[in-house]
Amino acid sequence: MIIREIEEKDNKPVEQLIRTCLIEFGANKPGTAWADPDLGNFYHVYRPEGSTYWVAEDEGRIAAGCGIGPVPGYPHICELQKMYACQEARGTGIAAELLRVALDFAKEHYEQCYLETFHNMTAANKFYLKHGFIPMDKPLSATEHFACDAWYIKTL
C-alpha cells in the first residue's frame, strides 16, 4: 500500500469510501460528513497552504484517507479531517501510517490538532487515545458536523 497526496482522479473513490463507512456506523445523516457539500471535491478543498489530504492506495484502489485543514478562528490549531479506512484496511497499520504522515505535516504549520468523531466508532476512539489525543468535553467550536459526539485534541 502506498500513501500519497490526493489527486483529482481520487475525488469520487474517496467520496465512496467515506459514504460507505458512514453508512456502516449509522452516520449517513445531516450534521456529519455525509452532508458535506465538498465531499466529492477534496482535491480542490485541500489545496490551500496548511491543508492536505492523503490517500492510501492498494493496487489502484483507495483503501483509506485523511486530511489536515485549519480550524476557523484558531490559527494555531488544525483539524484531522475525514479519516476513514475500508474494512479490509482496518487493523493493517495503514491508519497509523496515515496519521503519522498527517501529524508530521501538521507540526510544520500548527501547534495542536483537533478532531471530531462518534462514540460508536469504538476502534477509532481507542486509536486516537493510543496516539496521544486527549478527550474534550465539548467541541472546539461550532462546525457543520454538529452530530459528532466525541472530540479530541493533541499538542503537536
Side-chain angles (χ1 to χ4, degrees), residues 73-141:
Y74 295 87
H76 302 292
I77 302 175
C78 66
E79 183 178 6
L80 180 68
Q81 300 173 336
K82 297 178 179 67
M83 183 165 193
Y84 293 95
C86 68
Q87 286 183 339
E88 301 79 27
R90 296 177 198 156
T92 66
I94 197 60
E97 185 60 21
L98 268 170
L99 182 63
R100 184 194 63 75
V101 169
L103 294 179
D104 284 350
F105 171 84
K107 286 175 190 174
E108 297 174 16
H109 303 275
Y110 303 97
E111 296 172 9
Q112 292 182 298
C113 185
Y114 168 76
L115 68 89
E116 301 174 330
T117 190
F118 296 92
H119 278 110
N120 73 326
M121 294 181 173
T122 308
N125 283 272
K126 288 179 183 176
F127 174 82
Y128 296 131
L129 288 168
K130 177 182 175 181
H131 290 280
F133 283 86
I134 307 297
M136 300 172 65
D137 294 332
K138 61 183 182 177
L140 189 61
S141 61

Side-chain angles (χ1 to χ4, degrees), residues 29-95:
K29 59 187 177 185
T32 71
W34 185 266
D36 188 333
D38 292 320
L39 195 56
N41 196 25
F42 283 6
Y43 175 76
H44 298 287
V45 169
Y46 286 93
R47 302 299 295 164
E49 186 175 346
S51 298
T52 302
Y53 196 89
W54 298 268
V55 295
E57 182 180 2
D58 185 20
E59 297 180 7
R61 181 174 161 260
I62 302 300
C66 75
I68 291 288
V71 176
Y74 295 87
H76 302 292
I77 302 175
C78 66
E79 183 178 6
L80 180 68
Q81 300 173 336
K82 297 178 179 67
M83 183 165 193
Y84 293 95
C86 68
Q87 286 183 339
E88 301 79 27
R90 296 177 198 156
T92 66
I94 197 60

